Amino acid sequence: MIKLSSLISSFIPVAMDIGAWSVKSLSGKSPDGNRSLPAGGGKQMKWPVIMMRSVTIAVAVLFLFMNVSAQSKKEEVGLQAKINSIIKKMTLEEKIEMLHGNALFSSGGVKRLGIPELTCDDGPLGVREEILRFDWNSAHWTTDSATFLPNGSAIAATWNPAMAHQYGVVLGEEANARKKDVMLAPAFNICRMPLCGRTYEYYAEDPYLNGQLAIGTVRGIQSQHVSACVKHFAVNNQEVHRDNVNAVVDERALREIYLPAFKAAIQQGNAYTIMSAYNKVNGYWCSENDFLLNKVLKKEWGFKGVVMSDWGGVHHTVAAANNGLDIEMGSSGPYDQWYFAKPLLAAVKAGEVSVKTIDDKVGRILWLMYHTSMSADHPKGSIATPAHGKAAYEIAAESIVLLKNDAHVLPLKTNVLKSIAVIGDNAIRTFASGGYGAGVKARYEITALEGIKSRFGKTAEIRFAQGYKANYLANNTDEQNAGYDKPDEALINEAVALARTTDVAILCIGSNREYESEGHDRKSLELPFGEQALVDAVTAVNPNTVIVIMAGAPYDLNKIKKSGHTIVWSWFNGSEAGNALADVLKGVINPSGKLPFTFPVSLHDSPAFALNTYPGDDLTAQYKEGILVGYRWYDTKKIDPLYCFGYGLSYTGFAYTGLMTDKKNYKTGDNIAVAVKVKNTGSMAGKETIQLYISKVNPGVFRAEKELKAFKKAEIAPAKTALVSMDINVNDLAYFDDKLSKWVVEPGEYKIMAASSSKDIRQVTSFYVH
């Protein structure tokens, strides 16, 4: 198998490089300004030439893919024969041992046949520290310090699948260094409502954006012969009652909103492992949901890998075994009493579960192992290297979102800046760990204050004031956390006294890993810790206040947006967070992040709250909004958000012109080639994410006002124009007809919109499907 996987791994960067040429500068340079375009590039490049080049590249890629595909089929047949021969040598008891955990982060092997345990570890923020085999206490290793990687919504804010891929490669390399076969990442449940405690861990509110990032991450992790475990399948959109809530969702919404990213991760990313969610979907636990696991995942999508339960997420033996679960995982023993241990053995002997079903599960686990721990030429891996730190910096730098810069305070002018007040607990707080859920024992983490000192300390005096106390712990009761939201007047007075004396005040507020945490949802959108009072006091005395918000989910920024002139949104942004933030403030980095979810004006503007479906009644959450999730809801219902999906400013400007498609009429299966000219109108190089939305004119069925169907991030030099091209397949315009149980492409007129955000439409054109 290694020959094929090596070929695919080497092919991915080539494919990405080919894709980069679809952003062509009209000045005759490539997007980074360093390489000349192929002959025929430059201002004279015309649409037919571009299309001919695209066709030539496509043919070459197709030829390579056909060769890869043929080799893949041959190797797959050989591998399956090897797996079948191993299964024949196994006793029933040995097979059962492979189907359940035998420690916190491993499941059984068969020593007699040389089959190792399958090891896994938490992963969304980096490889977690080593814990003891049978409990959650630290193993106190001295070699398990890892790179803290930016959180999921930060990766989504890059709007850059290449960054997701880079993240995945780092995670895979560090997993290998720790001898982990499966990383429990990425997590990308749809951001249905803004209070979910794991929003920081997830990607976005849009299925297409989620899918593209998931593909990049999965390919990156698995390029290192480590399995990605995509999670949580499916419709895990709240932490309140997550263990037993029944999410009632119509099939159209399932197919159009909640499942597409998983499908992309499986079919395009080739994910080896998937984790079932805790909750029920339409009356059945996800770990024993025949529709999700058997009918959709394994039969429709052709998933060859392993379905693993979330920890303690199994409820029955026979139903789970027959309905698609492959491995049961959990947090405590006795392991031989778990549903997939002695009870499963008894169920097989009683004829309730067939040996064929058991063999299928074991075959899937062996298939996974032959792609990971038992693969040839397995990489040794590396951990917390300078290269990994550089990757963390690059992701963080692309994720930071400039929300407001009305007074043009940013970038800070170092030649006149003599004193800076850095205010706020988040300026000195680290985010690698905290709360209930996976953390990272980070080799290092640069705080905001440290980053600002390193970038501005040689030319300006920098002083710090805490401003507020973050007196909140995720594991505390509400009574124990009482008063966490009260301002600390003494700390505010200290901050005000400092801010009066400095040229600029950088106010670092927001959330932290205790306040946003797995296991609970926030109770409101309000900023915690009395931060609004601190903001009001500091901005009143220093007209040059930059408000930096570090958080992983939407908050109520109404008052800050109204009164503040400079707002920057950062995240739980990894080991290099402080350096990346400081470089954005200094202008070394031109901010290019875009919001991956909508910030509502009011919590009750969001669909789950407007329709009173959260957290649900009698442990049942009715997804009454159907397909209207995120911007689809706000656009279709004509509700203005505080900040819209895809929003983010730059230190330069971008003008869009000349949106066009390669033709006006298409049929099912055709490819729509789209191009638009984007000019950098400023004096600073910058990156713009061009977003393509599609709207059906006079639809015959209910549709959202518009849907994201493509996007591309382009770096454009000052005063230069890039011709940015993207492809949309006509089949991707389909809606799911739940009465016919199939996808339908509606004929007629469609509008295509080139946009800087979901509300900022720059160019519109039409085409027809016949």
Side-chain angles (χ1 to χ4, degrees):
M1 292 301 296
I2 187 60
K3 293 181 180 178
L4 173 62
S5 57
S6 297
L7 181 57
I8 293 174
S9 296
S10 64
F11 171 72
I12 289 170
V14 174
M16 289 184 171
D17 193 53
I18 290 171
W21 286 110
S22 61
V23 183
K24 296 188 172 74
S25 168
L26 298 186
S27 65
K29 296 287 185 181
S30 67
D32 61 13
N34 296 323
R35 293 177 294 174
S36 297
L37 287 173
K43 295 180 180 179
Q44 289 73 40
M45 182 169 281
K46 302 298 183 181
W47 180 266
V49 176
I50 296 170
M51 297 315 310
M52 184 63 70
R53 292 249 171 83
S54 299
V55 169
T56 303
I57 292 170
V59 169
V61 171
L62 179 61
F63 181 76
L64 176 58
F65 182 78
M66 288 172 65
N67 286 339
V68 170
S69 181
Q71 183 181 350
S72 173
K73 288 180 180 178
K74 183 177 179 180
E75 292 185 356
E76 194 66 29
V77 169
L79 175 59
Q80 199 56 56
K82 183 185 293 186
I83 289 171
N84 291 340
S85 69
I86 293 172
I87 292 174
K88 289 177 182 178
K89 298 174 184 176
M90 297 173 67
T91 67
L92 179 59
E93 288 75 11
E94 287 172 333
K95 295 173 185 177
I96 297 296
E97 282 295 312
M98 295 184 66
L99 306 187
H100 63 85
N102 63 359
L104 276 175
F105 282 105
S106 64
S107 54
V110 181
K111 189 173 183 180
R112 179 178 69 86
L113 297 175
I115 301 170
E117 292 182 336
L118 185 69
T119 62
C120 55
D121 211 346
D122 282 319
L125 300 177
V127 185
R128 74 178 299 157
E129 72 173 308
E130 194 68 23
I131 62 172
L132 297 174
R133 183 170 172 84
F134 299 114
D135 69 49
W136 294 96
N137 292 318
S138 173
H140 300 297
W141 284 16
T142 59
T143 57
D144 58 345
S145 295
T147 304
F148 169 30
L149 292 160
N151 66 286
S153 49
I155 294 169
T158 70
W159 282 67
N160 191 344
M163 290 293 103
H165 185 268
Q166 194 168 336
Y167 156 90
V169 170
V170 172
L171 196 57
E173 289 180 344
E174 300 209 350
N176 272 329
R178 291 276 306 285
K179 301 189 185 313
K180 306 299 181 184
D181 306 325
V182 180
M183 290 309 301
L184 307 180
F188 47 81
N189 292 100
I190 288 287
C191 181
R192 175 184 180 240
M193 65 97 190
L195 300 184
C196 178
R198 299 185 82 170
T199 296
Y200 79 91
E201 191 177 336
Y202 299 154
Y203 285 156
E205 68 185 23
D206 179 79
Y208 181 76
L209 176 57
N210 269 12
Q212 295 305 300
L213 296 168
I215 293 167
T217 298
V218 169
R219 287 176 175 174
I221 294 171
Q222 294 185 173
S223 70
Q224 303 306 305
H225 301 214
V226 172
S227 173
C229 180
V230 298
K231 60 184 189 180
H232 307 87
F233 192 63
V235 200
N236 181 189
N237 308 111
Q238 63 187 62
E239 289 297 286
V240 171
H241 306 315
R242 69 173 183 173
D243 293 321
N244 42 29
V245 69
N246 178 27
V248 179
V249 196
D250 66 76
E251 189 173 358
R252 183 180 178 191
L254 267 178
R255 298 281 190 169
E256 293 188 18
I257 303 296
Y258 298 101
L259 299 186
F262 287 101
K263 182 179 182 181
I266 298 303
Q267 293 192 332
Q268 296 172 257
N270 193 30
Y272 301 153
T273 314
I274 191 168
M275 182 186 291
S276 60
Y278 282 124
N279 52 284
K280 295 178 181 177
V281 172
N282 295 331
Y284 298 93
W285 299 106
C286 288
S287 60
E288 55 187 60
N289 195 306
D290 181 62
F291 175 78
L292 290 176
L293 303 184
N294 281 336
K295 293 181 180 176
V296 174
L297 177 66
K298 292 183 174 180
K299 292 180 181 176
E300 286 187 28
W301 297 352
F303 179 59
K304 297 177 182 178
V306 172
V307 179
M308 177 183 292
S309 78
D310 207 337
W311 269 230
V314 181
H315 302 271
H316 305 97
T317 296
V318 175
N322 287 333
N323 291 335
L325 186 71
D326 299 312
I327 298 179
E328 177 188 10
M329 296 300 294
S331 299
S332 60
Y335 299 100
D336 64 353
Q337 299 302 315
W338 283 9
Y339 293 104
F340 270 28
K342 286 182 178 178
L344 180 56
L345 180 63
V348 175
K349 290 181 177 179
E352 296 173 296
V353 178
S354 69
V355 173
K356 181 180 179 183
T357 296
I358 299 300
D359 287 351
D360 177 73
K361 299 179 190 306
V362 173
R364 290 172 178 274
I365 296 168
L366 289 171
W367 183 89
L368 165 63
M369 288 180 167
Y370 273 109
H371 285 78
T372 56
S373 59
M374 293 167 65
S375 64
D377 299 327
H378 194 93
K380 292 182 179 179
S382 56
I383 194 162
T385 65
H388 294 172
K390 182 175 182 288
Y393 170 85
E394 290 173 352
I395 297 167
E398 282 208 21
S399 76
I400 294 170
V401 184
L402 180 62
L403 293 178
K404 195 173 181 182
N405 196 25
D406 286 1
H408 301 290
V409 170
L410 297 179
L412 295 174
K413 300 163 183 64
T414 55
N415 58 327
V416 297
L417 197 60
K418 301 303 178 186
S419 58
I420 301 173
V422 179
I423 298 169
D425 182 79
N426 270 0
I428 57 171
R429 181 170 288 269
T430 57
F431 300 97
S433 61
Y436 176 74
V440 180
K441 186 164 79 177
R443 176 71 58 85
Y444 71 94
E445 181 179 350
I446 306 297
T447 66
L449 180 59
E450 290 168 341
I452 291 166
K453 283 182 174 180
S454 73
R455 280 9 184 206
F456 296 93
K458 292 182 179 179
T459 57
E461 180 187 13
I462 298 169
R463 289 182 288 163
F464 170 74
Q466 186 174 355
Y468 67 90
K469 288 182 179 177
N471 291 324
Y472 185 99
L473 293 176
N475 290 328
N476 279 356
T477 64
D478 289 345
E479 290 74 21
Q480 290 172 320
N481 282 325
Y484 77 89
D485 54 346
K486 303 300 181 185
D488 188 313
E489 296 299 336
L491 291 180
I492 289 177
N493 290 337
E494 178 186 316
V496 167
L498 174 60
R500 287 183 191 277
T501 67
T502 58
D503 296 333
V504 168
I506 301 174
L507 193 50
C508 298
I509 61 170
S511 179
N512 58 44
R513 290 284 310 288
E514 295 288 344
Y515 193 67
E516 291 182 46
S517 171
E518 179 180 353
H520 73 257
D521 295 333
R522 289 180 289 141
K523 292 179 173 59
S524 77
L525 286 175
E526 293 179 8
L527 287 167
F529 317 133
E531 291 173 348
Q532 187 63 60
L534 174 65
V535 172
D536 293 344
V538 170
T539 55
V541 300
N542 192 316
N544 295 321
T545 298
V546 177
I547 301 169
V548 178
I549 305 159
M550 301 169 193
Y555 282 81
D556 180 356
L557 304 184
N558 280 281
K559 195 171 182 181
I560 287 177
K561 182 181 180 183
K562 184 176 180 180
S563 60
H565 53 63
T566 311
I567 309 170
V568 175
W569 187 275
S570 189
W571 310 89
F572 306 145
N573 233 341
S575 288
E576 286 284 337
N579 286 336
L581 173 63
D583 282 343
V584 166
L585 299 177
K586 192 174 183 179
V588 174
I589 296 291
N590 190 345
S592 64
K594 300 275 190 176
L595 292 177
F597 33 60
T598 303
F599 281 46
V601 171
S602 164
L603 183 59
H604 293 283
D605 287 343
S606 63
F609 291 89
L611 300 174
N612 195 29
T613 64
Y614 169 83
D617 295 321
D618 298 324
L619 299 179
T620 298
Q622 300 280 350
Y623 282 42
K624 295 178 182 178
E625 70 277 10
I627 61 171
L628 297 185
V629 177
Y631 67 90
R632 288 167 167 81
W633 167 268
Y634 294 92
D635 289 349
T636 306
K637 297 292 184 179
K638 311 300 181 189
I639 301 171
D640 287 329
L642 183 68
Y643 288 111
C644 68
F645 174 74
Y647 174 84
L649 303 175
S650 170
Y651 294 150
T652 188
F654 299 98
Y656 292 44
T657 58
L659 176 65
M660 56 184 171
T661 56
D662 57 335
K663 54 186 181 179
K664 284 296 180 183
N665 296 283
Y666 300 91
K667 62 182 183 298
T668 302
D670 282 354
N671 186 68
I672 306 167
V674 185
V676 63
K677 296 175 183 177
V678 182
K679 181 178 181 180
N680 182 336
T681 59
S683 58
M684 187 176 189
K687 296 177 181 178
E688 170 71 337
T689 299
I690 300 89
Q691 303 161 38
L692 294 184
Y693 295 88
I694 296 288
S695 176
K696 178 68 180 73
V697 178
N698 298 320
V701 296
F702 179 76
R703 307 285 292 256
E705 182 177 288
K706 62 178 178 288
E707 300 173 352
L708 180 72
K709 293 298 180 183
F711 63 88
K712 183 160 288 181
K713 197 164 196 175
E715 182 168 10
I716 308 173
K720 301 301 181 182
T721 299
L723 182 64
V724 181
S725 61
M726 287 173 264
D727 294 326
I728 301 172
N729 194 284
V730 171
N731 290 350
D732 293 333
L733 308 180
Y735 70 92
F736 188 82
D737 188 322
D738 48 10
K739 292 177 182 174
L740 299 176
S741 293
K742 69 175 186 177
W743 291 92
V744 176
V745 177
E746 198 175 2
E749 183 182 3
Y750 289 80
K751 287 184 180 179
I752 187 165
M753 293 159 273
S756 185
S757 74
S758 63
K759 299 289 285 185
D760 187 4
I761 309 301
R762 303 292 185 87
Q763 289 273 289
V764 181
T765 190
S766 296
F767 63 89
Y768 295 85
V769 174
H770 300 280

